[in-house]
Amino acid sequence: MAKDIQPAQAEQARQEEYSALVRTVLISHFDPREPLAFVHTYGCQGNVADSERIKGMLGEMGYGFTDNIGDADLVLYNTCAIREHAEDRVFGNVGALKNLKKAKPSLKIALCGCMMQQQHVAQRIQKSYPFVDLVFGTHVIHRLPELMYRTLCGGSRVFEIPSEDGKIVENVPVRRDSDFKAWLPIMYGCNNFCSYCIVPYVRGRERSRDPEIIIKEAEELAAQGYKEITLLGQNVNSYGKGLDCDINFAKLLRRLNDIDGDFQIRFMTSHPKDCTFELLDAMAECGKAAKHLHLPVQSGNDRVLKEMNRHYDREKYLELIHYAREKMPDLSITSDIIVGFPGETYEEFCDTLSLVEEVEYTSLFTFIYSPREGTKAAKMPDPVTREEKGAWFKELCQLQESIAGRRTAAMKGKVYRVLCESISDKGMLSGRTEGNVIIEFPGSPDNIGKFVNVKVTEPRTWMLFGEEVK
Ligand code: SAH
Ligand code: SF4
Ligand code: F3S
């Protein structure tokens, strides 16, 4: 067991006491009505998983949940700081809460997540958004009961943004959004300090969860009938570092694969510098591991990769891709790419184009570089204009569009196992293939949350249409 688990459990017991206190306070304010919380999440799946714990705790405190912000007694935004655009949206949406609060002075407004972990943001909220009641950072999410108690009973605004890494606190209640797809964090934080990235500053150092706790959680999910478990971490390939037991990500994957049940395992994100042949072998040999690898490359140029502090080069990346394809011929590969990193030239960007052409990704998440205060890249000279970067970005998107179209066209006539997820606007069943491509087909809503076999009849660039085969 990790050495910090005991004090963490004492902390958890303390929070349960606060939770009971809040419940009493809420009953005295709202009885016979149930107070309602509106929780909105920005950013990555790590944030979505945090919000499921936030909702778990709020549920224990006595809150019900609403999708209608006008009905809410508590509005909570879990924010993201990855790019400027993400932050601008949050500031805009928080500004819009001013009128809501005016119309309903009893409304409590809370902000948390990566954006709030930055001092300059918290200061701006303190100064310019006086109607916000509670702001808390990423390291104290498990202390929400105590923070809510202070917000409801303390009579003043609460700002709790300690800078030290949170110990991993287990047994926080979880209210999952889906009853067939589950997020399972296996680690928190990031040690990599890619020069453009804010995550290590707002999420703290890398910490892995105890493997026995992860396996127990996965066993419970499988027993409850979950069909997909996605393992989460900023760099899952370095899972296990710092734990005093014989584990790494490949071994964890094999142990999870041994759990009984009809479910598939996904994971994200894999950092190429720590992606090993051992992991790719494990992935190939584990029947439950979906044959989809999200392996963000960021750039195809070695000088840019070095400036980004990524610790791999084009050759090592392509070696991984070739090995993975050799072991798993049907593997679907996706990636993240940053266009216009400071100092990147058009010639260097062309190396990214040629790499994209060579790998033939299923799909790409493409981003124009956004300077983040406090990171190394934000201080680098950045002479290329936004317009030029926009033109490069478009060129990359067009290239990927033609590759994606070729790849989906080759899927025509083939049968894929699909996890049905929802009903589309057109009344069709919508799901994803193992390779994470969206497919729509006529079928019964009773199949939502189940695996069915679907034959591709009509491929489009970014999605497929098909028909169920029995
Ligand atoms: N841990 C993951 C990435 C998490 S952030 C990894 O290392 O792959 C998701 C993506 O956002 C990154 O892969 C990167 O492509 C993009 N991103 C991060 N910081 C950015 C910035 N400052 N500007 C533009 N894109 C950025
Ligand atoms: Fe950011 Fe790099 Fe960590 Fe990913 S690995 S979260 S890109 S610092
Ligand atoms: Fe955003 Fe934080 Fe995730 S910055 S991408 S929510 S780790």
Side-chain angles (χ1 to χ4, degrees):
M1 281 246 169
K3 49 190 173 307
D4 294 325
I5 275 189
Q6 259 186 358
Q9 274 168 351
E11 175 62 38
Q12 185 53 16
R14 207 168 73 88
Q15 293 307 322
E16 279 165 24
E17 286 171 24
Y18 273 113
S19 184
L21 281 173
V22 172
R23 185 178 266 279
T24 316
V25 172
L26 289 175
I27 289 173
S28 73
H29 283 197
F30 291 98
D31 197 46
R33 176 170 85 76
E34 181 183 50
L36 293 175
F38 174 92
V39 177
H40 186 73
T41 311
Y42 301 82
C44 65
Q45 276 78 8
N47 251 18
V48 173
D50 280 348
S51 287
E52 291 186 340
R53 280 161 178 80
I54 286 169
K55 284 184 256 186
M57 288 183 277
L58 290 173
E60 300 266 295
M61 286 180 241
Y63 281 99
F65 296 91
T66 176
D67 294 330
N68 183 355
I69 196 166
D71 293 339
D73 303 292
L74 167 70
V75 171
L76 184 147
Y77 288 163
N78 188 6
T79 64
C80 170
I82 202 78
R83 282 170 291 274
E84 195 178 1
H85 176 69
E87 295 201 335
D88 288 346
R89 265 175 58 214
V90 171
F91 278 123
N93 291 348
V94 172
L97 294 176
K98 189 177 176 180
N99 287 335
L100 204 64
K101 179 102 172 188
K102 215 179 248 168
K104 190 192 226 178
S106 67
L107 174 70
K108 295 294 174 196
I109 297 174
L111 306 176
C112 65
C114 295
M115 197 175 152
M116 299 305 138
Q117 188 64 37
Q118 304 171 97
Q119 233 175 32
H120 66 97
V121 173
Q123 279 163 0
R124 181 165 161 195
I125 298 287
Q126 187 136 33
K127 213 170 131 224
S128 310
Y129 298 80
F131 49 90
V132 173
D133 302 284
L134 165 64
V135 176
F136 60 102
T138 55
H139 301 311
V140 291
I141 290 175
H142 61 281
R143 280 174 51 208
L144 184 59
E146 172 195 345
L147 300 174
M148 280 306 301
Y149 181 75
R150 282 164 52 194
T151 304
L152 293 167
C153 303
S156 60
R157 305 170 74 199
V158 177
F159 284 73
E160 189 75 22
I161 307 150
S163 56
E164 77 271 24
D165 300 353
K167 304 268 173 288
I168 296 184
V169 178
E170 298 294 354
N171 299 318
V172 174
V174 185
R175 190 177 191 275
R176 296 188 193 275
D177 294 336
S178 161
D179 55 10
F180 58 90
K181 278 172 68 162
W183 309 112
L184 178 43
I186 62 168
M187 60 207 296
Y188 302 98
C190 182
N191 284 355
N192 295 306
F193 290 94
C194 301
S195 60
Y196 50 81
C197 185
I198 194 72
V199 172
Y201 301 90
V202 293
R203 285 277 169 176
R205 295 294 63 74
E206 190 179 281
R207 334 182 267 291
S208 292
R209 287 178 81 191
D210 188 294
E212 305 310 324
I213 294 177
I214 295 170
I215 287 159
K216 188 164 162 269
E217 192 169 332
E219 282 170 348
E220 284 165 6
L221 290 166
Q224 287 162 22
Y226 275 83
K227 295 290 177 236
E228 182 174 287
I229 297 176
T230 304
L231 311 175
L232 297 178
Q234 293 299 346
N235 176 7
V236 291
N237 298 326
S238 80
Y239 171 76
K241 282 183 191 157
L243 292 179
D244 46 11
C245 55
D246 176 30
I247 194 85
N248 62 21
F249 186 56
K251 288 177 183 162
L252 181 72
L253 190 61
R254 288 186 191 274
R255 288 198 55 191
L256 293 166
N257 187 63
D258 287 340
I259 296 174
D260 285 337
D262 181 24
F263 64 94
Q264 65 185 5
I265 305 170
R266 296 187 185 277
F267 54 86
M268 64 199 301
T269 297
S270 289
H271 193 309
K273 90 177 160 69
D274 295 308
C275 185
T276 56
F277 290 165
E278 182 193 0
L279 170 67
L280 297 172
D281 289 342
M283 203 179 161
E285 287 158 28
C286 288
K288 293 191 172 88
K291 300 300 174 268
H292 169 217
L293 181 64
H294 183 60
L295 196 63
V297 67
Q298 313 298 357
S299 163
N301 176 270
D302 286 346
R303 191 197 68 83
V304 175
L305 284 171
K306 202 160 177 15
E307 289 295 304
M308 287 177 163
N309 197 31
R310 289 290 285 181
H311 294 281
Y312 54 85
D313 59 16
R314 181 185 175 106
E315 190 184 332
K316 150 129 200 223
Y317 184 86
L318 288 173
E319 193 185 21
L320 287 169
I321 298 289
H322 293 144
Y323 187 85
R325 283 243 163 90
E326 199 180 290
K327 289 276 160 171
M328 297 169 275
D330 288 334
L331 183 67
S332 163
I333 304 174
T334 57
S335 199
D336 294 351
I337 287 178
I338 295 177
V339 175
F341 181 80
E344 185 178 32
T345 63
Y346 182 69
E347 286 67 36
E348 289 169 335
F349 167 69
C350 287
D351 288 341
T352 299
L353 294 178
S354 72
L355 180 126
V356 166
E357 188 106 59
E358 183 164 348
V359 177
E360 295 215 294
Y361 292 105
T362 303
S363 61
L364 282 180
F365 295 92
T366 45
F367 310 101
I368 292 183
Y369 168 74
S370 168
R372 305 286 61 214
E373 196 174 318
T375 62
K376 202 166 162 226
K379 296 184 202 85
M380 296 177 183
D382 190 4
V384 176
T385 63
R386 184 88 196 179
E387 288 65 37
E388 276 177 278
K389 291 184 186 187
W392 301 0
F393 182 83
K394 215 169 135 196
E395 199 176 340
L396 174 61
C397 294
Q398 279 166 353
L399 172 64
Q400 181 54 34
E401 193 172 323
S402 68
I403 294 169
R406 273 202 316 263
R407 289 193 66 92
T408 48
M411 295 172 88
K412 188 168 178 172
K414 293 190 185 155
V415 176
Y416 294 89
R417 188 169 183 248
V418 171
L419 178 59
C420 305
E421 296 185 4
S422 58
I423 297 288
S424 74
D425 315 339
K426 297 177 208 91
M428 304 239 251
L429 264 181
S430 174
R432 279 162 201 271
T433 65
E434 229 186 278
N436 217 26
V437 181
I438 293 176
I439 182 159
E440 291 187 6
F441 53 98
S444 157
D446 294 345
N447 279 339
I448 291 177
K450 294 182 187 154
F451 288 108
V452 297
N453 290 322
V454 185
K455 183 173 165 177
V456 177
T457 52
E458 201 191 319
R460 298 276 170 88
T461 308
W462 301 115
M463 61 160 305
L464 310 162
F465 288 100
E467 63 193 24
E468 202 177 325
V469 289
K470 293 279 181 251

PDB file of all heavy atoms in Angstrom, residues 281-302:
ATOM      1  N   ASP A 281       3.003  -5.090 -26.875  1.00  0.00           N
ATOM      2  CA  ASP A 281       2.782  -6.542 -26.819  1.00  0.00           C
ATOM      3  C   ASP A 281       1.575  -6.850 -25.940  1.00  0.00           C
ATOM      4  O   ASP A 281       0.716  -7.660 -26.298  1.00  0.00           O
ATOM      5  CB  ASP A 281       4.014  -7.258 -26.237  1.00  0.00           C
ATOM      6  CG  ASP A 281       5.192  -7.255 -27.201  1.00  0.00           C
ATOM      7  OD1 ASP A 281       4.978  -7.030 -28.407  1.00  0.00           O
ATOM      8  OD2 ASP A 281       6.338  -7.460 -26.737  1.00  0.00           O
ATOM      9  N   ALA A 282       1.525  -6.195 -24.768  1.00  0.00           N
ATOM     10  CA  ALA A 282       0.413  -6.452 -23.838  1.00  0.00           C
ATOM     11  C   ALA A 282      -0.912  -6.082 -24.504  1.00  0.00           C
ATOM     12  O   ALA A 282      -1.894  -6.833 -24.435  1.00  0.00           O
ATOM     13  CB  ALA A 282       0.606  -5.645 -22.551  1.00  0.00           C
ATOM     14  N   MET A 283      -0.900  -4.945 -25.186  1.00  0.00           N
ATOM     15  CA  MET A 283      -2.117  -4.487 -25.859  1.00  0.00           C
ATOM     16  C   MET A 283      -2.560  -5.515 -26.911  1.00  0.00           C
ATOM     17  O   MET A 283      -3.736  -5.867 -27.017  1.00  0.00           O
ATOM     18  CB  MET A 283      -1.786  -3.161 -26.538  1.00  0.00           C
ATOM     19  CG  MET A 283      -2.941  -2.283 -26.807  1.00  0.00           C
ATOM     20  SD  MET A 283      -2.317  -0.773 -27.579  1.00  0.00           S
ATOM     21  CE  MET A 283      -3.844  -0.222 -28.297  1.00  0.00           C
ATOM     22  N   ALA A 284      -1.595  -6.009 -27.683  1.00  0.00           N
ATOM     23  CA  ALA A 284      -1.897  -6.978 -28.747  1.00  0.00           C
ATOM     24  C   ALA A 284      -2.447  -8.275 -28.148  1.00  0.00           C
ATOM     25  O   ALA A 284      -3.350  -8.896 -28.712  1.00  0.00           O
ATOM     26  CB  ALA A 284      -0.644  -7.253 -29.566  1.00  0.00           C
ATOM     27  N   GLU A 285      -1.906  -8.664 -26.991  1.00  0.00           N
ATOM     28  CA  GLU A 285      -2.272  -9.965 -26.424  1.00  0.00           C
ATOM     29  C   GLU A 285      -3.510  -9.897 -25.536  1.00  0.00           C
ATOM     30  O   GLU A 285      -4.098 -10.937 -25.227  1.00  0.00           O
ATOM     31  CB  GLU A 285      -1.085 -10.529 -25.634  1.00  0.00           C
ATOM     32  CG  GLU A 285       0.039 -11.017 -26.551  1.00  0.00           C
ATOM     33  CD  GLU A 285       1.403 -11.088 -25.852  1.00  0.00           C
ATOM     34  OE1 GLU A 285       1.423 -11.282 -24.621  1.00  0.00           O
ATOM     35  OE2 GLU A 285       2.420 -10.930 -26.560  1.00  0.00           O
ATOM     36  N   CYS A 286      -3.911  -8.727 -25.097  1.00  0.00           N
ATOM     37  CA  CYS A 286      -5.074  -8.604 -24.201  1.00  0.00           C
ATOM     38  C   CYS A 286      -6.349  -8.474 -25.035  1.00  0.00           C
ATOM     39  O   CYS A 286      -6.556  -7.450 -25.702  1.00  0.00           O
ATOM     40  CB  CYS A 286      -4.934  -7.388 -23.284  1.00  0.00           C
ATOM     41  SG  CYS A 286      -3.690  -7.619 -22.016  1.00  0.00           S
ATOM     42  N   GLY A 287      -7.172  -9.493 -24.977  1.00  0.00           N
ATOM     43  CA  GLY A 287      -8.402  -9.514 -25.773  1.00  0.00           C
ATOM     44  C   GLY A 287      -9.332  -8.355 -25.452  1.00  0.00           C
ATOM     45  O   GLY A 287     -10.093  -7.898 -26.309  1.00  0.00           O
ATOM     46  N   LYS A 288      -9.288  -7.856 -24.214  1.00  0.00           N
ATOM     47  CA  LYS A 288     -10.218  -6.787 -23.822  1.00  0.00           C
ATOM     48  C   LYS A 288      -9.702  -5.402 -24.193  1.00  0.00           C
ATOM     49  O   LYS A 288     -10.453  -4.424 -24.129  1.00  0.00           O
ATOM     50  CB  LYS A 288     -10.489  -6.860 -22.319  1.00  0.00           C
ATOM     51  CG  LYS A 288     -11.269  -8.106 -21.905  1.00  0.00           C
ATOM     52  CD  LYS A 288     -11.745  -8.003 -20.472  1.00  0.00           C
ATOM     53  CE  LYS A 288     -12.674  -9.134 -20.110  1.00  0.00           C
ATOM     54  NZ  LYS A 288     -11.954 -10.325 -19.613  1.00  0.00           N
ATOM     55  N   ALA A 289      -8.427  -5.281 -24.556  1.00  0.00           N
ATOM     56  CA  ALA A 289      -7.876  -3.962 -24.905  1.00  0.00           C
ATOM     57  C   ALA A 289      -8.346  -3.572 -26.298  1.00  0.00           C
ATOM     58  O   ALA A 289      -8.063  -4.275 -27.266  1.00  0.00           O
ATOM     59  CB  ALA A 289      -6.349  -3.995 -24.845  1.00  0.00           C
ATOM     60  N   ALA A 290      -9.086  -2.463 -26.400  1.00  0.00           N
ATOM     61  CA  ALA A 290      -9.547  -1.980 -27.710  1.00  0.00           C
ATOM     62  C   ALA A 290      -8.322  -1.670 -28.556  1.00  0.00           C
ATOM     63  O   ALA A 290      -7.340  -1.107 -28.056  1.00  0.00           O
ATOM     64  CB  ALA A 290     -10.411  -0.737 -27.536  1.00  0.00           C
ATOM     65  N   LYS A 291      -8.397  -2.006 -29.834  1.00  0.00           N
ATOM     66  CA  LYS A 291      -7.225  -1.816 -30.694  1.00  0.00           C
ATOM     67  C   LYS A 291      -7.222  -0.379 -31.232  1.00  0.00           C
ATOM     68  O   LYS A 291      -7.387  -0.114 -32.427  1.00  0.00           O
ATOM     69  CB  LYS A 291      -7.195  -2.863 -31.817  1.00  0.00           C
ATOM     70  CG  LYS A 291      -7.128  -4.287 -31.274  1.00  0.00           C
ATOM     71  CD  LYS A 291      -5.877  -4.529 -30.404  1.00  0.00           C
ATOM     72  CE  LYS A 291      -5.872  -5.898 -29.738  1.00  0.00           C
ATOM     73  NZ  LYS A 291      -6.472  -5.931 -28.388  1.00  0.00           N
ATOM     74  N   HIS A 292      -7.072   0.522 -30.307  1.00  0.00           N
ATOM     75  CA  HIS A 292      -6.996   1.951 -30.606  1.00  0.00           C
ATOM     76  C   HIS A 292      -5.893   2.554 -29.753  1.00  0.00           C
ATOM     77  O   HIS A 292      -5.896   2.395 -28.533  1.00  0.00           O
ATOM     78  CB  HIS A 292      -8.332   2.648 -30.295  1.00  0.00           C
ATOM     79  CG  HIS A 292      -8.224   4.147 -30.341  1.00  0.00           C
ATOM     80  ND1 HIS A 292      -8.909   4.969 -29.481  1.00  0.00           N
ATOM     81  CD2 HIS A 292      -7.493   4.970 -31.133  1.00  0.00           C
ATOM     82  CE1 HIS A 292      -8.620   6.243 -29.749  1.00  0.00           C
ATOM     83  NE2 HIS A 292      -7.752   6.257 -30.748  1.00  0.00           N
ATOM     84  N   LEU A 293      -4.957   3.231 -30.409  1.00  0.00           N
ATOM     85  CA  LEU A 293      -3.848   3.844 -29.682  1.00  0.00           C
ATOM     86  C   LEU A 293      -3.849   5.343 -29.951  1.00  0.00           C
ATOM     87  O   LEU A 293      -3.694   5.768 -31.094  1.00  0.00           O
ATOM     88  CB  LEU A 293      -2.524   3.217 -30.167  1.00  0.00           C
ATOM     89  CG  LEU A 293      -1.248   3.728 -29.505  1.00  0.00           C
ATOM     90  CD1 LEU A 293      -1.228   3.395 -28.012  1.00  0.00           C
ATOM     91  CD2 LEU A 293      -0.013   3.124 -30.191  1.00  0.00           C
ATOM     92  N   HIS A 294      -4.050   6.114 -28.886  1.00  0.00           N
ATOM     93  CA  HIS A 294      -3.937   7.571 -29.018  1.00  0.00           C
ATOM     94  C   HIS A 294      -2.511   7.933 -28.600  1.00  0.00           C
ATOM     95  O   HIS A 294      -2.173   7.832 -27.420  1.00  0.00           O
ATOM     96  CB  HIS A 294      -4.981   8.263 -28.140  1.00  0.00           C
ATOM     97  CG  HIS A 294      -4.967   9.747 -28.287  1.00  0.00           C
ATOM     98  ND1 HIS A 294      -5.203  10.374 -29.482  1.00  0.00           N
ATOM     99  CD2 HIS A 294      -4.720  10.735 -27.392  1.00  0.00           C
ATOM    100  CE1 HIS A 294      -5.106  11.682 -29.334  1.00  0.00           C
ATOM    101  NE2 HIS A 294      -4.819  11.927 -28.069  1.00  0.00           N
ATOM    102  N   LEU A 295      -1.690   8.300 -29.567  1.00  0.00           N
ATOM    103  CA  LEU A 295      -0.271   8.537 -29.299  1.00  0.00           C
ATOM    104  C   LEU A 295       0.112   9.923 -29.825  1.00  0.00           C
ATOM    105  O   LEU A 295       0.578  10.075 -30.960  1.00  0.00           O
ATOM    106  CB  LEU A 295       0.545   7.433 -29.992  1.00  0.00           C
ATOM    107  CG  LEU A 295       1.995   7.252 -29.544  1.00  0.00           C
ATOM    108  CD1 LEU A 295       2.084   6.828 -28.083  1.00  0.00           C
ATOM    109  CD2 LEU A 295       2.712   6.210 -30.409  1.00  0.00           C
ATOM    110  N   PRO A 296      -0.092  10.950 -28.980  1.00  0.00           N
ATOM    111  CA  PRO A 296       0.141  12.330 -29.442  1.00  0.00           C
ATOM    112  C   PRO A 296       1.583  12.557 -29.879  1.00  0.00           C
ATOM    113  O   PRO A 296       2.508  12.288 -29.132  1.00  0.00           O
ATOM    114  CB  PRO A 296      -0.200  13.178 -28.218  1.00  0.00           C
ATOM    115  CG  PRO A 296      -1.127  12.337 -27.425  1.00  0.00           C
ATOM    116  CD  PRO A 296      -0.642  10.929 -27.614  1.00  0.00           C
ATOM    117  N   VAL A 297       1.758  13.048 -31.095  1.00  0.00           N
ATOM    118  CA  VAL A 297       3.108  13.267 -31.620  1.00  0.00           C
ATOM    119  C   VAL A 297       3.507  14.736 -31.477  1.00  0.00           C
ATOM    120  O   VAL A 297       4.667  15.050 -31.320  1.00  0.00           O
ATOM    121  CB  VAL A 297       3.211  12.769 -33.086  1.00  0.00           C
ATOM    122  CG1 VAL A 297       2.367  13.611 -34.029  1.00  0.00           C
ATOM    123  CG2 VAL A 297       4.655  12.747 -33.551  1.00  0.00           C
ATOM    124  N   GLN A 298       2.553  15.628 -31.548  1.00  0.00           N
ATOM    125  CA  GLN A 298       2.723  17.099 -31.431  1.00  0.00           C
ATOM    126  C   GLN A 298       3.410  17.731 -32.632  1.00  0.00           C
ATOM    127  O   GLN A 298       2.984  18.769 -33.115  1.00  0.00           O
ATOM    128  CB  GLN A 298       3.459  17.511 -30.135  1.00  0.00           C
ATOM    129  CG  GLN A 298       2.958  16.840 -28.852  1.00  0.00           C
ATOM    130  CD  GLN A 298       1.517  17.135 -28.492  1.00  0.00           C
ATOM    131  OE1 GLN A 298       0.854  17.909 -29.162  1.00  0.00           O
ATOM    132  NE2 GLN A 298       1.002  16.496 -27.446  1.00  0.00           N
ATOM    133  N   SER A 299       4.504  17.119 -33.128  1.00  0.00           N
ATOM    134  CA  SER A 299       5.205  17.663 -34.305  1.00  0.00           C
ATOM    135  C   SER A 299       6.001  16.539 -34.960  1.00  0.00           C
ATOM    136  O   SER A 299       6.404  15.592 -34.289  1.00  0.00           O
ATOM    137  CB  SER A 299       6.159  18.777 -33.871  1.00  0.00           C
ATOM    138  OG  SER A 299       7.095  19.035 -34.911  1.00  0.00           O
ATOM    139  N   GLY A 300       6.240  16.686 -36.268  1.00  0.00           N
ATOM    140  CA  GLY A 300       7.040  15.691 -36.982  1.00  0.00           C
ATOM    141  C   GLY A 300       8.471  16.140 -37.185  1.00  0.00           C
ATOM    142  O   GLY A 300       9.239  15.490 -37.896  1.00  0.00           O
ATOM    143  N   ASN A 301       8.845  17.265 -36.574  1.00  0.00           N
ATOM    144  CA  ASN A 301      10.185  17.820 -36.783  1.00  0.00           C
ATOM    145  C   ASN A 301      11.032  17.701 -35.513  1.00  0.00           C
ATOM    146  O   ASN A 301      10.590  18.110 -34.428  1.00  0.00           O
ATOM    147  CB  ASN A 301      10.056  19.295 -37.195  1.00  0.00           C
ATOM    148  CG  ASN A 301      11.410  19.949 -37.330  1.00  0.00           C
ATOM    149  OD1 ASN A 301      11.950  20.498 -36.375  1.00  0.00           O
ATOM    150  ND2 ASN A 301      11.986  19.875 -38.521  1.00  0.00           N
ATOM    151  N   ASP A 302      12.249  17.186 -35.659  1.00  0.00           N
ATOM    152  CA  ASP A 302      13.075  16.899 -34.479  1.00  0.00           C
ATOM    153  C   ASP A 302      13.488  18.148 -33.698  1.00  0.00           C
ATOM    154  O   ASP A 302      13.532  18.120 -32.474  1.00  0.00           O
ATOM    155  CB  ASP A 302      14.333  16.112 -34.892  1.00  0.00           C
ATOM    156  CG  ASP A 302      13.981  14.665 -35.228  1.00  0.00           C
ATOM    157  OD1 ASP A 302      12.859  14.233 -34.890  1.00  0.00           O
ATOM    158  OD2 ASP A 302      14.817  13.985 -35.833  1.00  0.00           O
TER     159      ASP A 302
END
